Amino acid sequence: MTCAEYKQLLAEYPDLPKEEKEALLRHAMQCEACHQALMERETLHLSLGALDEDEAVPEAFGTGWRQAVREDAKPRSSPWEAWRGRIAVAAALVVVIGGTALTRAGILFPGSLDLAQPAAQVETYAYDESAIPYAALDAAPAAGSMAKSDMGQEAVVLYSASLSLQSTQFDADMRRIEALLAQHGGQMAYQSTYGEPIANNPDAGRYAYLELRIPTAALDAFLEEAGQIGETVRMERSVEDVSESYYDTQGRLDMYTAQRDRLLALMEEASISELIEIEERLGELQYTLDTLQGRINYWDSRAADAVVTVSLEETAPQGTHPRMPLGQRLGTALRDAWHGFGAFLADMLVFLVRCLPYAACLAVAVAVIGMVYWGIKRKDKKEKK
Amino acid sequence: MHGNELLVRRARKGDADAFEALMAPHERKIYFLCLRMLGNREDALDCAQEAMLRIWRSMATYRGEAAFTTWMYRIATNACLDMLRRQKARPAVPLETFLETNVLASDDRDGPVEQAEASARKQAIEQGLARLSDTLRAAIVLRDVQGLSYEEISGVLDTPVGTVKSRINRARERLREILARDMELFATERVYTGEGRKSI
């Protein structure tokens, strides 16, 4: 081995294989300079190996890292970590309860729930297609309310109305109704009042049923003013066009009247036997004429005046609840609260079901965003490593 | 190493006691790795604690692909390299500091001259190590000071074995050049270790 080869091998000392190490040593024994170099290498190597042998690890290191690890192992007590779960639950409750309230108010998902109906209903309907607005009719009450029908004859229309009222001032409101009736030229056809005044018995209350005949031309005005008495619970109007029946009946009446007149004329020249027969026939005709005339008279009368039924119910004033016993009031309150809570829960379920499609879309979007985010984070971690 | 595997498994689940038992035999190595890499005790203390904390926090990511010690050394070495990058200057260790604290526990048969020589040798090596580049220093410290094999160092530095060998050789050569003026300290026929003398 030459010194140059020796120096090359020496660079890898002390990691040389055994044979090469021995070759190195053999050369070193023959060459002083190479021997010196080997000694330096060996000493350096051994010194490096012994560098830490007699060193002591500072006590601060031992206690320091142990303490740091234990601190890090403790559950995180940051305010955010502690409250994160509660805030999430509170936010979910706000969304569900708020959404349910908005749905019940009809702001969100309108029509989803069976909302309460308004207290007063005003219905106007006609029995046939030729309903005639009464305001267009002739205002001659004696002749009835007539208008031209499609066939050129005046229409015969019957008007009816029904009014349900609640009142906290029963007596005063009854007098108002009577005053209105007189003011508009109407008449009381029927009146019935029963029950005990609420002032005497909080659980009772009076009830009045009135059947009024109001001139047809004044019907609208009467209903408008009567609707301001107490609280209107219900109002209905109906219109019935009986023109066809009326004129058919009128025609038959005319026909039978003519028949009667011919028979009366025949009686002047009839024999005794013919007189008897004519008398019999006249009797039958008269009966028919009376019936038909009666019908005509009824329609005339009904067409002239509208029939209005008014019901007046006595109620306790607001804020002055009946003096129920405490137990009964608590029971009623509990029952009402339970029913209300049950209704709210049912509405909440409807709201949640309506939200399902939106929640599903949101969940998919969050999942996709989450996957992208964690993918990027993992990639960054790998690149850092 | 069944007991070690159990400790690793528990430590991965966040058991601090298991981690302490697992790392207790290695804390010395971690500390001295940091000391030799950073060159001063203050930085070594900070770096070593940082390294331990990093190892603790990374336990959940240890999958067992590499040996635990290799994985542990990798984290500690990276902690040292990170700290070196953050530092602007690597202060040289004052002679007085080493004379006061780095006294070799020499044999009773050694006289004061031999003890002084050993101390001077050590100081020279430490100063020489400090003058190496970070990568060469890491290679030579892991091999010649910590005693890791080439394969282990390859895993720690995430570098091929051939590159590791090359770095170690270059580091030794460079260290020898740095210590050339002090080579008379390494020319003695007697080498002092903590336990006794060893002849060449």
PDB file of all heavy atoms in Angstrom, chain B residues 87-113:
ATOM      1  N   GLN B  87     -31.089  31.301  14.453  1.00  0.00           N
ATOM      2  CA  GLN B  87     -29.999  32.064  15.068  1.00  0.00           C
ATOM      3  C   GLN B  87     -29.172  32.750  13.991  1.00  0.00           C
ATOM      4  O   GLN B  87     -28.929  32.215  12.927  1.00  0.00           O
ATOM      5  CB  GLN B  87     -29.084  31.114  15.842  1.00  0.00           C
ATOM      6  CG  GLN B  87     -29.692  30.635  17.138  1.00  0.00           C
ATOM      7  CD  GLN B  87     -28.807  29.619  17.826  1.00  0.00           C
ATOM      8  OE1 GLN B  87     -27.889  29.079  17.218  1.00  0.00           O
ATOM      9  NE2 GLN B  87     -29.085  29.371  19.081  1.00  0.00           N
ATOM     10  N   LYS B  88     -28.665  33.890  14.326  1.00  0.00           N
ATOM     11  CA  LYS B  88     -27.848  34.625  13.347  1.00  0.00           C
ATOM     12  C   LYS B  88     -26.382  34.349  13.566  1.00  0.00           C
ATOM     13  O   LYS B  88     -25.561  34.375  12.679  1.00  0.00           O
ATOM     14  CB  LYS B  88     -28.115  36.122  13.463  1.00  0.00           C
ATOM     15  CG  LYS B  88     -29.462  36.490  12.960  1.00  0.00           C
ATOM     16  CD  LYS B  88     -29.655  37.976  12.994  1.00  0.00           C
ATOM     17  CE  LYS B  88     -31.050  38.306  12.488  1.00  0.00           C
ATOM     18  NZ  LYS B  88     -31.324  39.733  12.589  1.00  0.00           N
ATOM     19  N   ALA B  89     -26.018  34.146  14.813  1.00  0.00           N
ATOM     20  CA  ALA B  89     -24.607  33.929  15.120  1.00  0.00           C
ATOM     21  C   ALA B  89     -24.477  32.709  15.988  1.00  0.00           C
ATOM     22  O   ALA B  89     -25.363  32.378  16.763  1.00  0.00           O
ATOM     23  CB  ALA B  89     -24.036  35.145  15.821  1.00  0.00           C
ATOM     24  N   ARG B  90     -23.398  31.979  15.799  1.00  0.00           N
ATOM     25  CA  ARG B  90     -23.115  30.834  16.670  1.00  0.00           C
ATOM     26  C   ARG B  90     -21.898  31.211  17.520  1.00  0.00           C
ATOM     27  O   ARG B  90     -20.772  31.143  17.057  1.00  0.00           O
ATOM     28  CB  ARG B  90     -22.804  29.600  15.836  1.00  0.00           C
ATOM     29  CG  ARG B  90     -24.007  29.118  15.064  1.00  0.00           C
ATOM     30  CD  ARG B  90     -23.720  27.762  14.486  1.00  0.00           C
ATOM     31  NE  ARG B  90     -22.748  27.837  13.406  1.00  0.00           N
ATOM     32  CZ  ARG B  90     -23.081  28.073  12.136  1.00  0.00           C
ATOM     33  NH1 ARG B  90     -24.317  28.312  11.809  1.00  0.00           N
ATOM     34  NH2 ARG B  90     -22.151  28.099  11.215  1.00  0.00           N
ATOM     35  N   PRO B  91     -22.230  31.671  18.731  1.00  0.00           N
ATOM     36  CA  PRO B  91     -21.113  32.155  19.549  1.00  0.00           C
ATOM     37  C   PRO B  91     -20.159  31.033  19.909  1.00  0.00           C
ATOM     38  O   PRO B  91     -20.570  29.913  20.184  1.00  0.00           O
ATOM     39  CB  PRO B  91     -21.811  32.699  20.801  1.00  0.00           C
ATOM     40  CG  PRO B  91     -23.119  31.984  20.854  1.00  0.00           C
ATOM     41  CD  PRO B  91     -23.501  31.695  19.449  1.00  0.00           C
ATOM     42  N   ALA B  92     -18.905  31.368  19.867  1.00  0.00           N
ATOM     43  CA  ALA B  92     -17.881  30.400  20.264  1.00  0.00           C
ATOM     44  C   ALA B  92     -17.910  30.228  21.758  1.00  0.00           C
ATOM     45  O   ALA B  92     -18.246  31.153  22.502  1.00  0.00           O
ATOM     46  CB  ALA B  92     -16.508  30.908  19.826  1.00  0.00           C
ATOM     47  N   VAL B  93     -17.632  29.042  22.183  1.00  0.00           N
ATOM     48  CA  VAL B  93     -17.693  28.770  23.626  1.00  0.00           C
ATOM     49  C   VAL B  93     -16.428  29.284  24.281  1.00  0.00           C
ATOM     50  O   VAL B  93     -15.320  28.937  23.864  1.00  0.00           O
ATOM     51  CB  VAL B  93     -17.832  27.262  23.869  1.00  0.00           C
ATOM     52  CG1 VAL B  93     -17.903  26.974  25.354  1.00  0.00           C
ATOM     53  CG2 VAL B  93     -19.065  26.738  23.151  1.00  0.00           C
ATOM     54  N   PRO B  94     -16.604  30.111  25.276  1.00  0.00           N
ATOM     55  CA  PRO B  94     -15.392  30.631  25.924  1.00  0.00           C
ATOM     56  C   PRO B  94     -14.606  29.513  26.577  1.00  0.00           C
ATOM     57  O   PRO B  94     -15.173  28.538  27.078  1.00  0.00           O
ATOM     58  CB  PRO B  94     -15.938  31.591  26.997  1.00  0.00           C
ATOM     59  CG  PRO B  94     -17.360  31.856  26.601  1.00  0.00           C
ATOM     60  CD  PRO B  94     -17.822  30.654  25.872  1.00  0.00           C
ATOM     61  N   LEU B  95     -13.370  29.647  26.554  1.00  0.00           N
ATOM     62  CA  LEU B  95     -12.500  28.642  27.141  1.00  0.00           C
ATOM     63  C   LEU B  95     -12.813  28.443  28.607  1.00  0.00           C
ATOM     64  O   LEU B  95     -12.888  27.325  29.102  1.00  0.00           O
ATOM     65  CB  LEU B  95     -11.031  29.071  26.955  1.00  0.00           C
ATOM     66  CG  LEU B  95      -9.997  28.191  27.657  1.00  0.00           C
ATOM     67  CD1 LEU B  95      -9.975  26.806  27.015  1.00  0.00           C
ATOM     68  CD2 LEU B  95      -8.617  28.826  27.571  1.00  0.00           C
ATOM     69  N   GLU B  96     -13.027  29.552  29.308  1.00  0.00           N
ATOM     70  CA  GLU B  96     -13.238  29.479  30.755  1.00  0.00           C
ATOM     71  C   GLU B  96     -14.451  28.616  31.068  1.00  0.00           C
ATOM     72  O   GLU B  96     -14.426  27.852  32.019  1.00  0.00           O
ATOM     73  CB  GLU B  96     -13.459  30.875  31.355  1.00  0.00           C
ATOM     74  CG  GLU B  96     -12.273  31.826  31.208  1.00  0.00           C
ATOM     75  CD  GLU B  96     -12.130  32.376  29.813  1.00  0.00           C
ATOM     76  OE1 GLU B  96     -13.150  32.436  29.078  1.00  0.00           O
ATOM     77  OE2 GLU B  96     -11.019  32.729  29.438  1.00  0.00           O
ATOM     78  N   THR B  97     -15.500  28.768  30.256  1.00  0.00           N
ATOM     79  CA  THR B  97     -16.729  28.008  30.524  1.00  0.00           C
ATOM     80  C   THR B  97     -16.452  26.515  30.523  1.00  0.00           C
ATOM     81  O   THR B  97     -16.891  25.770  31.391  1.00  0.00           O
ATOM     82  CB  THR B  97     -17.771  28.322  29.461  1.00  0.00           C
ATOM     83  OG1 THR B  97     -17.940  29.721  29.389  1.00  0.00           O
ATOM     84  CG2 THR B  97     -19.101  27.646  29.793  1.00  0.00           C
ATOM     85  N   PHE B  98     -15.698  26.081  29.542  1.00  0.00           N
ATOM     86  CA  PHE B  98     -15.434  24.657  29.440  1.00  0.00           C
ATOM     87  C   PHE B  98     -14.453  24.191  30.504  1.00  0.00           C
ATOM     88  O   PHE B  98     -14.566  23.073  31.000  1.00  0.00           O
ATOM     89  CB  PHE B  98     -14.905  24.313  28.043  1.00  0.00           C
ATOM     90  CG  PHE B  98     -16.022  24.149  27.077  1.00  0.00           C
ATOM     91  CD1 PHE B  98     -16.519  25.228  26.379  1.00  0.00           C
ATOM     92  CD2 PHE B  98     -16.636  22.919  26.911  1.00  0.00           C
ATOM     93  CE1 PHE B  98     -17.581  25.074  25.515  1.00  0.00           C
ATOM     94  CE2 PHE B  98     -17.705  22.769  26.052  1.00  0.00           C
ATOM     95  CZ  PHE B  98     -18.176  23.849  25.349  1.00  0.00           C
ATOM     96  N   LEU B  99     -13.564  25.015  30.842  1.00  0.00           N
ATOM     97  CA  LEU B  99     -12.654  24.594  31.889  1.00  0.00           C
ATOM     98  C   LEU B  99     -13.399  24.414  33.200  1.00  0.00           C
ATOM     99  O   LEU B  99     -13.084  23.554  34.003  1.00  0.00           O
ATOM    100  CB  LEU B  99     -11.515  25.622  32.069  1.00  0.00           C
ATOM    101  CG  LEU B  99     -10.473  25.616  30.951  1.00  0.00           C
ATOM    102  CD1 LEU B  99      -9.413  26.674  31.215  1.00  0.00           C
ATOM    103  CD2 LEU B  99      -9.792  24.242  30.865  1.00  0.00           C
ATOM    104  N   GLU B 100     -14.435  25.229  33.419  1.00  0.00           N
ATOM    105  CA  GLU B 100     -15.177  25.135  34.673  1.00  0.00           C
ATOM    106  C   GLU B 100     -16.154  23.972  34.681  1.00  0.00           C
ATOM    107  O   GLU B 100     -16.378  23.350  35.704  1.00  0.00           O
ATOM    108  CB  GLU B 100     -15.968  26.438  34.927  1.00  0.00           C
ATOM    109  CG  GLU B 100     -15.102  27.610  35.314  1.00  0.00           C
ATOM    110  CD  GLU B 100     -15.897  28.905  35.277  1.00  0.00           C
ATOM    111  OE1 GLU B 100     -17.133  28.852  35.138  1.00  0.00           O
ATOM    112  OE2 GLU B 100     -15.269  29.968  35.383  1.00  0.00           O
ATOM    113  N   THR B 101     -16.751  23.705  33.553  1.00  0.00           N
ATOM    114  CA  THR B 101     -17.860  22.741  33.568  1.00  0.00           C
ATOM    115  C   THR B 101     -17.571  21.438  32.858  1.00  0.00           C
ATOM    116  O   THR B 101     -18.283  20.471  33.024  1.00  0.00           O
ATOM    117  CB  THR B 101     -19.101  23.344  32.902  1.00  0.00           C
ATOM    118  OG1 THR B 101     -18.772  23.669  31.557  1.00  0.00           O
ATOM    119  CG2 THR B 101     -19.564  24.575  33.637  1.00  0.00           C
ATOM    120  N   ASN B 102     -16.617  21.412  32.010  1.00  0.00           N
ATOM    121  CA  ASN B 102     -16.411  20.234  31.176  1.00  0.00           C
ATOM    122  C   ASN B 102     -15.178  19.451  31.606  1.00  0.00           C
ATOM    123  O   ASN B 102     -14.374  19.043  30.795  1.00  0.00           O
ATOM    124  CB  ASN B 102     -16.277  20.647  29.712  1.00  0.00           C
ATOM    125  CG  ASN B 102     -17.557  21.243  29.218  1.00  0.00           C
ATOM    126  OD1 ASN B 102     -18.609  21.018  29.785  1.00  0.00           O
ATOM    127  ND2 ASN B 102     -17.469  22.013  28.164  1.00  0.00           N
ATOM    128  N   VAL B 103     -15.056  19.271  32.854  1.00  0.00           N
ATOM    129  CA  VAL B 103     -13.880  18.529  33.324  1.00  0.00           C
ATOM    130  C   VAL B 103     -14.149  17.046  33.198  1.00  0.00           C
ATOM    131  O   VAL B 103     -15.160  16.541  33.665  1.00  0.00           O
ATOM    132  CB  VAL B 103     -13.590  18.866  34.812  1.00  0.00           C
ATOM    133  CG1 VAL B 103     -12.444  18.030  35.328  1.00  0.00           C
ATOM    134  CG2 VAL B 103     -13.304  20.333  34.949  1.00  0.00           C
ATOM    135  N   LEU B 104     -13.268  16.369  32.519  1.00  0.00           N
ATOM    136  CA  LEU B 104     -13.430  14.926  32.380  1.00  0.00           C
ATOM    137  C   LEU B 104     -13.181  14.268  33.716  1.00  0.00           C
ATOM    138  O   LEU B 104     -12.286  14.659  34.466  1.00  0.00           O
ATOM    139  CB  LEU B 104     -12.413  14.387  31.364  1.00  0.00           C
ATOM    140  CG  LEU B 104     -12.719  14.635  29.900  1.00  0.00           C
ATOM    141  CD1 LEU B 104     -11.570  14.172  29.049  1.00  0.00           C
ATOM    142  CD2 LEU B 104     -13.983  13.912  29.502  1.00  0.00           C
ATOM    143  N   ALA B 105     -14.047  13.263  33.957  1.00  0.00           N
ATOM    144  CA  ALA B 105     -13.799  12.478  35.183  1.00  0.00           C
ATOM    145  C   ALA B 105     -12.655  11.535  34.868  1.00  0.00           C
ATOM    146  O   ALA B 105     -12.837  10.463  34.314  1.00  0.00           O
ATOM    147  CB  ALA B 105     -15.058  11.704  35.552  1.00  0.00           C
ATOM    148  N   SER B 106     -11.496  11.996  35.109  1.00  0.00           N
ATOM    149  CA  SER B 106     -10.322  11.219  34.695  1.00  0.00           C
ATOM    150  C   SER B 106      -9.938  10.186  35.739  1.00  0.00           C
ATOM    151  O   SER B 106     -10.437  10.182  36.868  1.00  0.00           O
ATOM    152  CB  SER B 106      -9.154  12.170  34.452  1.00  0.00           C
ATOM    153  OG  SER B 106      -8.934  12.933  35.628  1.00  0.00           O
ATOM    154  N   ASP B 107      -9.141   9.322  35.290  1.00  0.00           N
ATOM    155  CA  ASP B 107      -8.643   8.256  36.159  1.00  0.00           C
ATOM    156  C   ASP B 107      -7.852   8.853  37.313  1.00  0.00           C
ATOM    157  O   ASP B 107      -7.237   9.912  37.177  1.00  0.00           O
ATOM    158  CB  ASP B 107      -7.723   7.349  35.312  1.00  0.00           C
ATOM    159  CG  ASP B 107      -7.543   6.010  35.949  1.00  0.00           C
ATOM    160  OD1 ASP B 107      -7.098   5.969  37.111  1.00  0.00           O
ATOM    161  OD2 ASP B 107      -7.841   5.006  35.269  1.00  0.00           O
ATOM    162  N   ASP B 108      -7.890   8.172  38.439  1.00  0.00           N
ATOM    163  CA  ASP B 108      -7.112   8.667  39.587  1.00  0.00           C
ATOM    164  C   ASP B 108      -5.614   8.684  39.295  1.00  0.00           C
ATOM    165  O   ASP B 108      -4.854   9.412  39.904  1.00  0.00           O
ATOM    166  CB  ASP B 108      -7.363   7.770  40.822  1.00  0.00           C
ATOM    167  CG  ASP B 108      -8.757   8.011  41.374  1.00  0.00           C
ATOM    168  OD1 ASP B 108      -9.311   9.074  41.033  1.00  0.00           O
ATOM    169  OD2 ASP B 108      -9.270   7.158  42.110  1.00  0.00           O
ATOM    170  N   ARG B 109      -5.246   7.818  38.323  1.00  0.00           N
ATOM    171  CA  ARG B 109      -3.819   7.756  38.020  1.00  0.00           C
ATOM    172  C   ARG B 109      -3.376   8.957  37.195  1.00  0.00           C
ATOM    173  O   ARG B 109      -2.198   9.220  37.037  1.00  0.00           O
ATOM    174  CB  ARG B 109      -3.466   6.472  37.265  1.00  0.00           C
ATOM    175  CG  ARG B 109      -3.662   5.203  38.121  1.00  0.00           C
ATOM    176  CD  ARG B 109      -3.607   3.972  37.277  1.00  0.00           C
ATOM    177  NE  ARG B 109      -4.827   3.828  36.488  1.00  0.00           N
ATOM    178  CZ  ARG B 109      -5.026   2.859  35.614  1.00  0.00           C
ATOM    179  NH1 ARG B 109      -4.075   1.969  35.400  1.00  0.00           N
ATOM    180  NH2 ARG B 109      -6.148   2.773  34.938  1.00  0.00           N
ATOM    181  N   ASP B 110      -4.370   9.681  36.542  1.00  0.00           N
ATOM    182  CA  ASP B 110      -4.011  10.826  35.710  1.00  0.00           C
ATOM    183  C   ASP B 110      -3.634  12.014  36.571  1.00  0.00           C
ATOM    184  O   ASP B 110      -4.294  12.326  37.567  1.00  0.00           O
ATOM    185  CB  ASP B 110      -5.185  11.225  34.805  1.00  0.00           C
ATOM    186  CG  ASP B 110      -5.475  10.140  33.798  1.00  0.00           C
ATOM    187  OD1 ASP B 110      -4.546   9.407  33.425  1.00  0.00           O
ATOM    188  OD2 ASP B 110      -6.663  10.027  33.408  1.00  0.00           O
ATOM    189  N   GLY B 111      -2.613  12.657  36.102  1.00  0.00           N
ATOM    190  CA  GLY B 111      -2.181  13.826  36.843  1.00  0.00           C
ATOM    191  C   GLY B 111      -2.856  15.073  36.326  1.00  0.00           C
ATOM    192  O   GLY B 111      -3.648  15.038  35.378  1.00  0.00           O
ATOM    193  N   PRO B 112      -2.576  16.168  36.895  1.00  0.00           N
ATOM    194  CA  PRO B 112      -3.195  17.427  36.471  1.00  0.00           C
ATOM    195  C   PRO B 112      -2.863  17.776  35.029  1.00  0.00           C
ATOM    196  O   PRO B 112      -3.696  18.374  34.331  1.00  0.00           O
ATOM    197  CB  PRO B 112      -2.642  18.467  37.433  1.00  0.00           C
ATOM    198  CG  PRO B 112      -1.671  17.786  38.311  1.00  0.00           C
ATOM    199  CD  PRO B 112      -1.702  16.349  38.061  1.00  0.00           C
ATOM    200  N   VAL B 113      -1.701  17.421  34.550  1.00  0.00           N
ATOM    201  CA  VAL B 113      -1.352  17.738  33.156  1.00  0.00           C
ATOM    202  C   VAL B 113      -2.255  16.977  32.209  1.00  0.00           C
ATOM    203  O   VAL B 113      -2.778  17.518  31.229  1.00  0.00           O
ATOM    204  CB  VAL B 113       0.140  17.372  32.888  1.00  0.00           C
ATOM    205  CG1 VAL B 113       0.453  17.543  31.426  1.00  0.00           C
ATOM    206  CG2 VAL B 113       1.041  18.246  33.746  1.00  0.00           C
TER     207      VAL B 113
END
